[in-house]
Amino acid sequence: MKRVFHGALPSLLSIALALAICFVALALSRSDVHLATDAYAQMIFGGVGDFPSFTESGRWGVLTRPWGESTSRAALLLLTGLSVAVAFSVGLFNIGAQGQMTVGALLAAVVGAHVSLPAGIHPLVGLLCAALAGAAYGSIAAVLKVRRGVHEVISTIMLNWIAVNLIENWLVTGPLRAHSEGTVSIAGTDQILPTAELPRLLSDGSRIHLGFPIAVLIALALWAWLSRLRHGFETRAVGLGPEAARTAGIPVERRIYQAMALSGALAGLAGGVLVLGTEFRFPAVLGAPYGFDGIAIALIGQNHPIGVAVSALFFGILRAGGTRMQLLGVHKSFPELIQGLALLFVAARYVWRKLLSGRAARPSPRSSEVQRA
Amino acid sequence: MVGENGAGKSTLMNVLSGLYRPDAGEVWIDGTQVHFRGPGDAIRRGIGMVHQHFMLVPPLTVAENVVLGREPTRRGLLDLEAAVDQVGETCRRFGFKLDPRARVEDLSVGSQQKVEIVKALHRGAQVLILDEPTAVLTPQEADELVAVTRSLAADGHTVVFISHKLREVLSVAERIVVLRRGRKAAEVRASETTAEALAELMVGESNAAKVASQGARAPAGPVALRGEAIDDGVAVHGVSFTVRAGEIVGIAGVDGNGQRELAEILTGLRPASGSLRLMDTEVLGASPGELRARGLGHVPEDRLLRAIVGPMSVEENLALGRHGRPPFARGPFIDFSGRRAHAASLLESWDVRPRDPSQRIAALSGGNQQKAVLARELDADPKVLVVVQPTRGLDIAAVRSVHERLRAHRDRGAAILLVSLDLDEVLALSDRLYVIFGGRLSVELAREDFDERRIGRMMLGAT
Amino acid sequence: MTPTRSILFYTAAAALILIPGCKKSEERSASEKPAGTVLKVGIVTDVGGRGDQSFNDSALRGLELWAAGKKYTGTGYVDTTPAEVKATLPPDLAARTPPIEKLPGVTPLVLQSRAQEDYEPNLQLLADQGAGLIIGTGFMLENAIEAAAKRNPDSKFLLIDSPLLDAAGKPFTLPNVRTVVFKEEEGSFLVGAMAGLVSKDGRVGFVGGMEIPLIKKFEAGFKAGVRTTRPEATVLTAYTGSFNNVAAGKQVAQDLIAKGADVVFHAAGSDGLGVIQAVKDARAAGRQVYAIGVDSDQSHVAPDAVLTSMVKRVDLAVYETVRDLAAGRFTAGDAAWGLKEGGVTYAPVRIDFPQRAAVLEKVEDLRRQIIEGSIRVPATDADLASFKP
């Protein structure tokens, strides 16, 4: 337990520092500390539930609705974060979660709108198709890497652009645009059928839907896979020492293919959750850049599935709550600012380590014991 | 300076070169006490360190590497011509034959080391620290290095030469400091001591007997590994050999004659044509995983790259390669308690220090890492074992222990193919041997034909 | 103090600052509750947000400046005087009856959306904050308004630029939702007519954003206008495929200018800023070309180059809906605002050109004919094909 805390400490301190800096900046820019405290309070109310308003009015909605907003964002951040973390476990830096997510979202939208299935299995089929599409798209980068030695950072960035231009700028505004009458415009593709919607857990009380529990289960499963299963051990070995893994008889290329496909599947699943959970169609523009946010979430979560889950939930809450800061005139991008700063500090975690361990480069423990003896 | 692995040689040198700060004690240079706050301070005071692992940028030229960090400029722009001139001048002054325009990655290991030394001298080093400089060199290169060191000393430089090859130290040094367990055990004049006496001081025991050579006790069994006309078209040409159960077959040769590539082919890491039969099954082209499943063990030459996964724990590294079998796994799951228990017992029986299975293996000293690798490979009880440079960088006690265990493994009926650049080692261990030169194997030599001088000539291409 | 301890110290210090602050804020918000009737009106912008100098800014003007009499300063609101508000009104609105003036008690709540998926929660948040009217600017919010309106039957909603649409794309109504669409084709007709009269060589250009039915309305109206005043003229048409790519707008407009267009009308969102830039550049190079802006009066972008703008009175639609609500006259249903309702028009022409007075007179004459119904302006390609001036 102590080790877990120590491992998470750099991230926790980074987030705390980012929050503190933004707090001070906010207070200074308005020369008003109360406004900053108000804004932070609003952020908490908007992220985890408006308790004052609930005690005042007794309406459950003000309490439960924020849960829906934070968890639906957290689900997306978690899936894309895991996508990045899984690729990282095999030593690849997947910048392509955004593209894989776009592909997944499109497939979910098409399956949701144009395939008739019973309510129980329609969303699952939609999510499955989204995951498969993402996996296929992610595998392109893996094939290029293994067969041709193309660096995955380059190929995934390019594949992002291909996905965005092909899907958002052509398919969604062209052949797959929603049907409408006369001169009316509808943004995005056809609305999905009601059977394809991810079930809402609190019906009308909140938008909290099945996506978040699914994402959390996946995080747990990935954690078990990476730390408990032989296959996960092999995957990590490939990431940490590919030549040693090869010499030890681990099929390195196969593990890379599998991890990259899984990474793409998770990003594709994020697209499916976005479409089937809240948007009910492929929108004109596919939401916030969750695929890129996933990189930040993974790094802040230190590429550990549980760490990623915690960091995704935190930033989901922050973002959902951050909207409410606008009621006090705080700019809409404030939560992203906090996230960006936190990432910056995490990236500088070498500095944290130095601070925390007191002294840098000490000789190995054994030799220092000897010196003392 | 001599001492066993983990005796504290490298740590002490890192203090002298400013990488570590001492908790107590003083460092004096030319009668002045100094306090280094970092390697930069040490360099300014004329200390140059040549690390065991070279700190060079392979794609850059010799001149670029040497001036790196203090590049000559003209009007704010990099002046590489001036760099070439300056470095050429330094090389001439100290008698190094190096082309300043050559790329470092194209140079032999010995030449790369010279670049490191030139780099230190170029920065005005008066005190040179060479950390196990001959560990990576061929015998000829090592001889050359000894000569270079002598001439630097004659030129007025101070050289600290770290090694655990006692003969080398005796030939290069005036005074020898022996470190044992972080303490100075002795300081002797080279002219007044012998290798045996030094060995005794190092290990602290009086039974540091010379590594004995023992032949196979039982006659060798059936052929376990047979290569026929193995050829990769690049470095290995038509190699045929046999290894029988219950014998150690050595491959001697000067570095760069195809032994590394041959080992890679035998362990499934490199494609080749020909035939390779493992226990009468054709296995050429099989993956490393299949070969392991068929009972082939492999101690690779490049430990950090091929044998261990540095960021993983000792225990995970001990499982690597057989992590799918009990006691390391139960079905698809890792068996944590089984793995931990097995790892702990291996650390104990192989005397790997520290005895902590959860320690990152990268934090272990090289010798202890190598012990862990051998522990893993021998513990899997392979029927055929390919061992490359098994004792490189190990101290005398560890070498002896490794040799004993390899022999014991042979005596249990395993076939061992030993590839080593250390002729003494090949001669000490092998029941038969081949010499490799230019990618081709010599005729096999039986133990009674072992003749150091003749083999030495064969290694240089004479028949 | 070791580094670890100093970090803990600063964390604790920050907490100590925060805790009293929280307490204070409760007191403050309690004391700040104003007396009298307060009408909270919420507005959710689309992803363009505040400062788009177009659609969203127009809606915000209608609510903040006209209805609430407040000016946004970047960090909060300052009150304005009626004279200040009056000065911002174009002549036709200043003369309007009943006059546009501050409505008592109106408090604006503005939420900007960072992404598509913010629309619905933002609308819901405003409903939870007790907003009496919630405005969604842009057809992109159609889905979100539908969901929020169904869930909050006690709140009123205004959706700009689109009716409510069911899954099959058919319009329908809800008892608490008013929607306003604009007859962009009518305004585009007038600027088209003007373009036809101003053009020297009889070649004019149209730059659209994405090729969607909404933008097709602009194109059809514009072409019909040109055909009415200059039957032999050619209209060169191009679409950029986006609404947020200034460079694409510039590139496309340069192409049209090179092909001889000397008046270029754009309906391309931010891409249009590139169109105006291209026209400005061409003028600097000695070409006698003009741009026609869209949505808001874009004259300030390039005063020499912008002939006029096809203005959508989003501000007016917002203002009048707030006024209806304040007066208890809010009605649900779909409205289509054309020239007659003052929903579309062209911005004052501030530059001089040959026969300026005659041109403007001709355009005003056409406006009357449209309002009377003697000209029916086409809104689609099909209608345009059968349109006879």
Short mmCIF file of all heavy atoms in Angstrom, two decimals, chain C residues 207-260:
data_model
loop_
_atom_site.label_atom_id
_atom_site.label_comp_id
_atom_site.label_asym_id
_atom_site.label_seq_id
_atom_site.Cartn_x
_atom_site.Cartn_y
_atom_site.Cartn_z
N VAL C 207 -19.00 31.72 -52.39
CA VAL C 207 -18.19 30.74 -51.67
C VAL C 207 -19.02 30.19 -50.51
O VAL C 207 -19.43 30.93 -49.62
CB VAL C 207 -16.90 31.38 -51.11
CG1 VAL C 207 -16.11 30.34 -50.31
CG2 VAL C 207 -16.06 31.94 -52.23
N GLY C 208 -19.30 28.91 -50.56
CA GLY C 208 -20.05 28.27 -49.47
C GLY C 208 -19.10 27.51 -48.56
O GLY C 208 -17.96 27.22 -48.93
N GLY C 209 -19.57 27.20 -47.35
CA GLY C 209 -18.78 26.37 -46.44
C GLY C 209 -19.01 24.91 -46.78
O GLY C 209 -18.63 24.45 -47.85
N MET C 210 -19.67 24.21 -45.88
CA MET C 210 -20.03 22.83 -46.21
C MET C 210 -21.25 22.85 -47.12
O MET C 210 -22.13 23.70 -46.99
CB MET C 210 -20.36 22.05 -44.94
CG MET C 210 -19.15 21.75 -44.09
SD MET C 210 -19.64 20.78 -42.67
CE MET C 210 -18.10 20.67 -41.79
N GLU C 211 -21.30 21.88 -48.02
CA GLU C 211 -22.39 21.86 -48.98
C GLU C 211 -23.61 21.18 -48.35
O GLU C 211 -23.88 20.02 -48.59
CB GLU C 211 -21.96 21.14 -50.26
CG GLU C 211 -22.81 21.52 -51.45
CD GLU C 211 -22.18 21.06 -52.76
OE1 GLU C 211 -21.03 20.60 -52.73
OE2 GLU C 211 -22.85 21.16 -53.79
N ILE C 212 -24.32 21.93 -47.51
CA ILE C 212 -25.48 21.39 -46.81
C ILE C 212 -26.69 22.23 -47.17
O ILE C 212 -26.53 23.35 -47.69
CB ILE C 212 -25.25 21.41 -45.28
CG1 ILE C 212 -24.89 22.82 -44.80
CG2 ILE C 212 -24.17 20.43 -44.88
CD1 ILE C 212 -24.73 22.94 -43.30
N PRO C 213 -27.91 21.73 -46.95
CA PRO C 213 -29.10 22.46 -47.40
C PRO C 213 -29.14 23.91 -46.92
O PRO C 213 -29.55 24.80 -47.67
CB PRO C 213 -30.25 21.65 -46.77
CG PRO C 213 -29.71 20.27 -46.66
CD PRO C 213 -28.25 20.42 -46.39
N LEU C 214 -28.70 24.15 -45.67
CA LEU C 214 -28.71 25.51 -45.15
C LEU C 214 -27.93 26.46 -46.06
O LEU C 214 -28.38 27.55 -46.39
CB LEU C 214 -28.12 25.52 -43.73
CG LEU C 214 -28.00 26.91 -43.09
CD1 LEU C 214 -29.38 27.48 -42.79
CD2 LEU C 214 -27.17 26.83 -41.81
N ILE C 215 -26.77 26.05 -46.46
CA ILE C 215 -25.92 26.93 -47.28
C ILE C 215 -26.45 26.99 -48.71
O ILE C 215 -26.32 28.00 -49.40
CB ILE C 215 -24.46 26.42 -47.23
CG1 ILE C 215 -23.97 26.37 -45.77
CG2 ILE C 215 -23.54 27.32 -48.04
CD1 ILE C 215 -24.06 27.69 -45.03
N LYS C 216 -27.11 25.90 -49.13
CA LYS C 216 -27.73 25.92 -50.46
C LYS C 216 -28.78 27.03 -50.56
O LYS C 216 -29.01 27.58 -51.64
CB LYS C 216 -28.38 24.56 -50.73
CG LYS C 216 -27.39 23.50 -51.18
CD LYS C 216 -26.97 23.77 -52.61
CE LYS C 216 -26.03 22.71 -53.12
NZ LYS C 216 -25.44 23.12 -54.41
N LYS C 217 -29.44 27.34 -49.43
CA LYS C 217 -30.43 28.43 -49.43
C LYS C 217 -29.76 29.75 -49.82
O LYS C 217 -30.31 30.54 -50.60
CB LYS C 217 -31.07 28.58 -48.04
CG LYS C 217 -32.08 27.51 -47.69
CD LYS C 217 -32.31 27.43 -46.19
CE LYS C 217 -33.30 28.49 -45.71
NZ LYS C 217 -33.58 28.33 -44.26
N PHE C 218 -28.60 29.99 -49.24
CA PHE C 218 -27.86 31.22 -49.57
C PHE C 218 -27.55 31.25 -51.07
O PHE C 218 -27.74 32.26 -51.74
CB PHE C 218 -26.54 31.27 -48.80
CG PHE C 218 -26.65 31.53 -47.32
CD1 PHE C 218 -26.90 30.49 -46.45
CD2 PHE C 218 -26.50 32.81 -46.80
CE1 PHE C 218 -26.98 30.71 -45.08
CE2 PHE C 218 -26.58 33.04 -45.45
CZ PHE C 218 -26.82 31.99 -44.59
N GLU C 219 -27.08 30.11 -51.54
CA GLU C 219 -26.63 30.05 -52.93
C GLU C 219 -27.81 30.30 -53.88
O GLU C 219 -27.71 31.11 -54.82
CB GLU C 219 -26.00 28.68 -53.22
CG GLU C 219 -25.43 28.58 -54.63
CD GLU C 219 -25.03 27.16 -55.02
OE1 GLU C 219 -24.84 26.32 -54.12
OE2 GLU C 219 -24.94 26.90 -56.22
N ALA C 220 -28.94 29.62 -53.60
CA ALA C 220 -30.10 29.76 -54.49
C ALA C 220 -30.61 31.19 -54.51
O ALA C 220 -30.89 31.77 -55.58
CB ALA C 220 -31.19 28.79 -54.05
N GLY C 221 -30.73 31.78 -53.31
CA GLY C 221 -31.21 33.16 -53.25
C GLY C 221 -30.28 34.12 -53.96
O GLY C 221 -30.72 35.01 -54.71
N PHE C 222 -28.99 33.92 -53.73
CA PHE C 222 -28.00 34.81 -54.33
C PHE C 222 -28.05 34.74 -55.86
O PHE C 222 -28.10 35.76 -56.56
CB PHE C 222 -26.61 34.42 -53.82
CG PHE C 222 -25.49 35.28 -54.33
CD1 PHE C 222 -25.34 36.58 -53.88
CD2 PHE C 222 -24.58 34.79 -55.26
CE1 PHE C 222 -24.29 37.38 -54.33
CE2 PHE C 222 -23.54 35.58 -55.73
CZ PHE C 222 -23.39 36.87 -55.26
N LYS C 223 -28.13 33.52 -56.37
CA LYS C 223 -28.15 33.36 -57.82
C LYS C 223 -29.41 33.99 -58.42
O LYS C 223 -29.37 34.61 -59.48
CB LYS C 223 -28.07 31.87 -58.19
CG LYS C 223 -26.66 31.31 -58.04
CD LYS C 223 -26.62 29.84 -58.44
CE LYS C 223 -25.18 29.36 -58.52
NZ LYS C 223 -25.10 27.89 -58.62
N ALA C 224 -30.53 33.78 -57.70
CA ALA C 224 -31.78 34.36 -58.20
C ALA C 224 -31.70 35.87 -58.25
O ALA C 224 -32.18 36.52 -59.19
CB ALA C 224 -32.95 33.90 -57.32
N GLY C 225 -31.06 36.46 -57.22
CA GLY C 225 -30.91 37.91 -57.18
C GLY C 225 -30.08 38.42 -58.33
O GLY C 225 -30.42 39.41 -58.99
N VAL C 226 -28.96 37.72 -58.57
CA VAL C 226 -28.09 38.14 -59.67
C VAL C 226 -28.85 38.05 -60.99
O VAL C 226 -28.82 38.96 -61.82
CB VAL C 226 -26.82 37.26 -59.72
CG1 VAL C 226 -25.98 37.59 -60.94
CG2 VAL C 226 -25.99 37.41 -58.45
N ARG C 227 -29.58 36.97 -61.15
CA ARG C 227 -30.30 36.74 -62.41
C ARG C 227 -31.35 37.84 -62.63
O ARG C 227 -31.63 38.23 -63.76
CB ARG C 227 -30.97 35.36 -62.38
CG ARG C 227 -31.32 34.85 -63.75
CD ARG C 227 -32.05 33.52 -63.66
NE ARG C 227 -31.20 32.42 -63.24
CZ ARG C 227 -31.67 31.20 -62.96
NH1 ARG C 227 -32.97 30.95 -63.02
NH2 ARG C 227 -30.87 30.25 -62.61
N THR C 228 -31.91 38.35 -61.54
CA THR C 228 -32.96 39.36 -61.66
C THR C 228 -32.42 40.68 -62.19
O THR C 228 -33.02 41.31 -63.04
CB THR C 228 -33.60 39.58 -60.27
OG1 THR C 228 -34.07 38.34 -59.78
CG2 THR C 228 -34.77 40.55 -60.38
N THR C 229 -31.24 41.10 -61.67
CA THR C 229 -30.75 42.41 -62.08
C THR C 229 -29.77 42.32 -63.25
O THR C 229 -29.49 43.32 -63.90
CB THR C 229 -30.03 43.10 -60.91
OG1 THR C 229 -29.02 42.22 -60.42
CG2 THR C 229 -31.01 43.41 -59.79
N ARG C 230 -29.22 41.18 -63.51
CA ARG C 230 -28.18 41.05 -64.54
C ARG C 230 -28.30 39.67 -65.15
O ARG C 230 -27.50 38.77 -64.85
CB ARG C 230 -26.80 41.21 -63.86
CG ARG C 230 -25.63 41.34 -64.80
CD ARG C 230 -25.34 42.81 -65.09
NE ARG C 230 -24.12 42.97 -65.85
CZ ARG C 230 -23.00 43.55 -65.37
NH1 ARG C 230 -22.95 44.01 -64.15
NH2 ARG C 230 -21.95 43.68 -66.15
N PRO C 231 -29.33 39.46 -65.98
CA PRO C 231 -29.64 38.10 -66.46
C PRO C 231 -28.46 37.44 -67.17
O PRO C 231 -28.33 36.21 -67.12
CB PRO C 231 -30.80 38.32 -67.43
CG PRO C 231 -31.39 39.64 -67.05
CD PRO C 231 -30.28 40.48 -66.53
N GLU C 232 -27.60 38.22 -67.84
CA GLU C 232 -26.52 37.60 -68.60
C GLU C 232 -25.31 37.25 -67.73
O GLU C 232 -24.34 36.66 -68.21
CB GLU C 232 -26.10 38.53 -69.75
CG GLU C 232 -25.18 39.69 -69.38
CD GLU C 232 -25.88 40.83 -68.63
OE1 GLU C 232 -27.09 40.71 -68.32
OE2 GLU C 232 -25.21 41.83 -68.31
N ALA C 233 -25.36 37.61 -66.44
CA ALA C 233 -24.18 37.42 -65.59
C ALA C 233 -23.95 35.95 -65.26
O ALA C 233 -24.86 35.14 -65.27
CB ALA C 233 -24.34 38.22 -64.29
N THR C 234 -22.67 35.64 -64.98
CA THR C 234 -22.30 34.28 -64.56
C THR C 234 -22.02 34.29 -63.06
O THR C 234 -21.35 35.21 -62.57
CB THR C 234 -20.99 33.84 -65.23
OG1 THR C 234 -20.92 34.45 -66.51
CG2 THR C 234 -20.93 32.34 -65.36
N VAL C 235 -22.51 33.27 -62.35
CA VAL C 235 -22.16 33.12 -60.93
C VAL C 235 -21.20 31.93 -60.80
O VAL C 235 -21.55 30.80 -61.12
CB VAL C 235 -23.41 32.89 -60.05
CG1 VAL C 235 -22.99 32.78 -58.58
CG2 VAL C 235 -24.41 34.00 -60.24
N LEU C 236 -19.97 32.23 -60.37
CA LEU C 236 -18.99 31.17 -60.13
C LEU C 236 -19.17 30.67 -58.70
O LEU C 236 -19.14 31.46 -57.76
CB LEU C 236 -17.57 31.70 -60.31
CG LEU C 236 -17.29 32.38 -61.66
CD1 LEU C 236 -15.98 33.14 -61.61
CD2 LEU C 236 -17.25 31.33 -62.76
N THR C 237 -19.36 29.37 -58.54
CA THR C 237 -19.67 28.83 -57.22
C THR C 237 -18.57 27.89 -56.74
O THR C 237 -18.03 27.11 -57.53
CB THR C 237 -20.99 28.04 -57.28
OG1 THR C 237 -21.98 28.89 -57.84
CG2 THR C 237 -21.43 27.60 -55.90
N ALA C 238 -18.25 28.00 -55.46
CA ALA C 238 -17.26 27.08 -54.89
C ALA C 238 -17.58 26.83 -53.42
O ALA C 238 -18.09 27.71 -52.73
CB ALA C 238 -15.85 27.67 -55.02
N TYR C 239 -17.30 25.61 -52.96
CA TYR C 239 -17.48 25.26 -51.54
C TYR C 239 -16.15 24.89 -50.93
O TYR C 239 -15.32 24.23 -51.57
CB TYR C 239 -18.47 24.09 -51.40
CG TYR C 239 -19.92 24.54 -51.51
CD1 TYR C 239 -20.53 24.66 -52.75
CD2 TYR C 239 -20.63 24.85 -50.37
CE1 TYR C 239 -21.84 25.08 -52.86
CE2 TYR C 239 -21.95 25.28 -50.47
CZ TYR C 239 -22.55 25.39 -51.70
OH TYR C 239 -23.84 25.81 -51.79
N THR C 240 -15.95 25.33 -49.71
CA THR C 240 -14.68 25.02 -49.04
C THR C 240 -14.73 23.69 -48.30
O THR C 240 -13.71 23.12 -47.97
CB THR C 240 -14.32 26.11 -48.01
OG1 THR C 240 -15.36 26.17 -47.03
CG2 THR C 240 -14.17 27.45 -48.67
N GLY C 241 -15.93 23.23 -47.97
CA GLY C 241 -16.04 21.97 -47.24
C GLY C 241 -15.86 22.10 -45.75
O GLY C 241 -15.77 21.11 -45.03
N SER C 242 -15.77 23.32 -45.25
CA SER C 242 -15.60 23.48 -43.81
C SER C 242 -16.15 24.83 -43.40
O SER C 242 -16.55 25.64 -44.23
CB SER C 242 -14.12 23.39 -43.43
OG SER C 242 -13.42 24.49 -43.97
N PHE C 243 -16.18 25.06 -42.07
CA PHE C 243 -16.59 26.37 -41.57
C PHE C 243 -15.52 27.00 -40.69
O PHE C 243 -15.75 28.03 -40.08
CB PHE C 243 -17.89 26.23 -40.74
CG PHE C 243 -19.10 25.98 -41.58
CD1 PHE C 243 -19.80 24.79 -41.47
CD2 PHE C 243 -19.54 26.93 -42.49
CE1 PHE C 243 -20.92 24.56 -42.24
CE2 PHE C 243 -20.67 26.70 -43.26
CZ PHE C 243 -21.35 25.52 -43.15
N ASN C 244 -14.40 26.34 -40.59
CA ASN C 244 -13.39 26.85 -39.64
C ASN C 244 -12.00 26.87 -40.24
O ASN C 244 -11.02 26.74 -39.53
CB ASN C 244 -13.42 26.01 -38.37
CG ASN C 244 -13.22 24.52 -38.67
OD1 ASN C 244 -12.97 24.16 -39.82
ND2 ASN C 244 -13.33 23.69 -37.66
N ASN C 245 -11.91 27.00 -41.56
CA ASN C 245 -10.61 26.93 -42.20
C ASN C 245 -10.40 28.20 -43.03
O ASN C 245 -10.75 28.27 -44.20
CB ASN C 245 -10.56 25.68 -43.08
CG ASN C 245 -9.17 25.44 -43.62
OD1 ASN C 245 -8.33 26.34 -43.62
ND2 ASN C 245 -8.92 24.23 -44.06
N VAL C 246 -9.82 29.20 -42.38
CA VAL C 246 -9.64 30.51 -43.04
C VAL C 246 -8.82 30.35 -44.32
O VAL C 246 -9.13 30.95 -45.35
CB VAL C 246 -8.96 31.49 -42.06
CG1 VAL C 246 -8.73 32.83 -42.72
CG2 VAL C 246 -9.80 31.66 -40.80
N ALA C 247 -7.79 29.52 -44.23
CA ALA C 247 -6.90 29.37 -45.39
C ALA C 247 -7.66 28.82 -46.60
O ALA C 247 -7.44 29.28 -47.74
CB ALA C 247 -5.75 28.45 -45.04
N ALA C 248 -8.56 27.86 -46.34
CA ALA C 248 -9.31 27.28 -47.45
C ALA C 248 -10.19 28.35 -48.09
O ALA C 248 -10.30 28.44 -49.33
CB ALA C 248 -10.16 26.11 -46.95
N GLY C 249 -10.82 29.19 -47.26
CA GLY C 249 -11.66 30.26 -47.80
C GLY C 249 -10.86 31.20 -48.68
O GLY C 249 -11.30 31.58 -49.77
N LYS C 250 -9.68 31.52 -48.24
CA LYS C 250 -8.84 32.44 -49.00
C LYS C 250 -8.44 31.84 -50.34
O LYS C 250 -8.53 32.49 -51.39
CB LYS C 250 -7.60 32.78 -48.18
CG LYS C 250 -6.70 33.78 -48.84
CD LYS C 250 -5.70 34.35 -47.88
CE LYS C 250 -4.82 35.38 -48.58
NZ LYS C 250 -3.85 36.00 -47.69
N GLN C 251 -8.06 30.58 -50.28
CA GLN C 251 -7.62 29.89 -51.49
C GLN C 251 -8.73 29.84 -52.53
O GLN C 251 -8.54 30.16 -53.70
CB GLN C 251 -7.20 28.48 -51.10
CG GLN C 251 -6.24 27.85 -52.04
CD GLN C 251 -5.77 26.51 -51.48
OE1 GLN C 251 -6.14 26.10 -50.38
NE2 GLN C 251 -4.95 25.84 -52.24
N VAL C 252 -9.92 29.45 -52.08
CA VAL C 252 -11.05 29.33 -52.99
C VAL C 252 -11.41 30.70 -53.58
O VAL C 252 -11.66 30.83 -54.78
CB VAL C 252 -12.25 28.71 -52.23
CG1 VAL C 252 -13.53 28.91 -53.00
CG2 VAL C 252 -11.99 27.23 -51.98
N ALA C 253 -11.39 31.73 -52.75
CA ALA C 253 -11.76 33.06 -53.24
C ALA C 253 -10.73 33.57 -54.24
O ALA C 253 -11.09 34.17 -55.26
CB ALA C 253 -11.88 34.02 -52.06
N GLN C 254 -9.47 33.30 -53.96
CA GLN C 254 -8.43 33.72 -54.91
C GLN C 254 -8.67 33.08 -56.27
O GLN C 254 -8.51 33.73 -57.32
CB GLN C 254 -7.04 33.31 -54.39
CG GLN C 254 -6.48 34.27 -53.36
CD GLN C 254 -5.25 33.72 -52.67
OE1 GLN C 254 -4.98 32.51 -52.70
NE2 GLN C 254 -4.51 34.61 -52.04
N ASP C 255 -9.08 31.83 -56.22
CA ASP C 255 -9.37 31.12 -57.46
C ASP C 255 -10.51 31.81 -58.22
O ASP C 255 -10.42 32.05 -59.43
CB ASP C 255 -9.72 29.68 -57.11
CG ASP C 255 -10.02 28.86 -58.34
OD1 ASP C 255 -9.23 28.96 -59.30
OD2 ASP C 255 -11.04 28.14 -58.35
N LEU C 256 -11.57 32.14 -57.51
CA LEU C 256 -12.72 32.78 -58.16
C LEU C 256 -12.34 34.14 -58.73
O LEU C 256 -12.74 34.51 -59.84
CB LEU C 256 -13.88 32.94 -57.16
CG LEU C 256 -14.52 31.65 -56.65
CD1 LEU C 256 -15.75 31.96 -55.81
CD2 LEU C 256 -14.89 30.71 -57.79
N ILE C 257 -11.54 34.89 -57.97
CA ILE C 257 -11.11 36.21 -58.44
C ILE C 257 -10.26 36.06 -59.69
O ILE C 257 -10.41 36.81 -60.67
CB ILE C 257 -10.36 36.96 -57.33
CG1 ILE C 257 -11.32 37.29 -56.18
CG2 ILE C 257 -9.73 38.24 -57.86
CD1 ILE C 257 -10.64 37.74 -54.91
N ALA C 258 -9.40 35.07 -59.69
CA ALA C 258 -8.56 34.84 -60.87
C ALA C 258 -9.41 34.50 -62.08
O ALA C 258 -9.03 34.79 -63.22
CB ALA C 258 -7.58 33.70 -60.58
N LYS C 259 -10.54 33.89 -61.85
CA LYS C 259 -11.41 33.53 -62.97
C LYS C 259 -12.30 34.70 -63.38
O LYS C 259 -13.19 34.54 -64.22
CB LYS C 259 -12.27 32.33 -62.60
CG LYS C 259 -11.48 31.02 -62.59
CD LYS C 259 -12.34 29.87 -62.12
CE LYS C 259 -11.53 28.58 -62.12
NZ LYS C 259 -12.13 27.57 -61.25
N GLY C 260 -12.12 35.83 -62.73
CA GLY C 260 -12.81 37.03 -63.20
C GLY C 260 -13.94 37.53 -62.33
O GLY C 260 -14.58 38.53 -62.67
#
